[in-house]
Amino acid sequence: MTLVLGGIRSGKSQYAEQIAAGFGKKILYVATAEVWPGAGSMEYRVRKHQERRPKSWLTLECPRHVASAVGESGLLDQVDGVILECVTLLSSNTLYAQKDPTDYEPFQEALIEEIEALKKLIRQSPVPWVLVSSETGMGISQSDAETRHYCDGLGIANQLLAKSADEVYFMVAGLPLTVKKG
């Protein structure tokens, strides 16, 4: 597993796509974004990601419960590798699936459960994976509970994934910095 971290517009998605392209021609692109009409810049970003992907890549849209969706899809035996885009939105989708997004404990438990299931699937997977996630831990702590809980949860998810990853890269201005090399 390779984890690519970075800030907004740091080049993490394109770098992860380069890594995935090195796995072979047939890649499973697991997309966690949910786009609603009128989402503006999110619609634009999703469209740009779609246009950039080779036609030979398969797409599985999965905003939550990624491990079960990918495992049940039967696609792992048909591809050369997997890219998960992205843990950031998976975390946000998990937060907003909670009854109360300002209640930290249920969110943290649900997110850790999601990440642990994903790590287990990746360990059992016959193909390599590259995961994309944002780094939110380099700024000041947010004053509102909802944003603070989200940033805390994503930070924990990134730590769990980085610990299990073979390689970790941190993107700065489109340049990858090696954090962990297997």
Side-chain angles (χ1 to χ4, degrees):
M1 171 181 31
T2 301
L3 177 62
V4 179
L5 298 165
I8 295 168
R9 295 291 198 213
S10 62
K12 59 190 177 292
S13 296
Q14 287 181 298
Y15 189 66
E17 290 165 6
Q18 289 175 11
I19 293 169
F23 298 155
K25 286 190 182 264
K26 202 164 187 185
I27 301 300
L28 175 60
Y29 189 102
V30 180
T32 61
E34 289 185 295
V35 180
W36 303 278
S41 68
M42 189 58 151
E43 289 176 320
Y44 173 80
R45 285 178 180 216
V46 168
R47 187 176 71 251
K48 286 299 180 188
H49 281 233
Q50 290 168 338
E51 291 169 358
R52 218 173 37 226
R53 290 197 292 266
K55 300 288 184 229
S56 61
W57 288 19
L58 306 173
T59 300
L60 178 64
E61 294 184 10
C62 183
R64 293 183 40 238
H65 308 296
V66 170
S68 59
V70 172
E72 292 168 10
S73 74
L75 294 171
L76 288 178
D77 293 328
Q78 302 173 33
V79 296
D80 301 312
V82 179
I83 181 170
L84 172 62
E85 174 73 60
C86 68
V87 176
T88 313
L89 292 173
L90 175 61
S91 297
S92 134
N93 296 339
T94 302
L95 175 68
Y96 290 112
Q98 303 308 305
K99 189 182 235 179
D100 178 4
T102 63
D103 189 356
Y104 184 64
E105 196 170 321
F107 163 59
Q108 184 179 21
E109 289 173 4
L111 185 57
I112 289 172
E113 183 179 309
E114 179 89 46
I115 297 301
E116 290 300 331
L118 182 59
K119 286 172 32 182
K120 181 179 179 184
L121 176 67
I122 292 169
R123 278 193 304 274
Q124 297 171 348
S125 178
V127 296
W129 286 60
V130 60
L131 286 70
V132 178
S133 189
S134 293
E135 178 55 65
T136 60
M138 299 181 79
I140 59 173
S141 183
Q142 299 298 315
S143 60
D144 69 285
E146 199 171 307
T147 304
R148 191 171 53 251
H149 293 169
Y150 170 74
C151 291
D152 287 352
L154 182 59
I156 290 168
N158 286 344
Q159 288 182 51
L160 291 170
L161 292 168
K163 187 174 185 177
S164 294
D166 300 298
E167 296 181 357
V168 179
Y169 297 96
F170 184 70
M171 299 299 295
V172 177
L175 301 173
L177 300 174
T178 302
V179 176
K180 180 180 180 183
K181 190 77 168 164

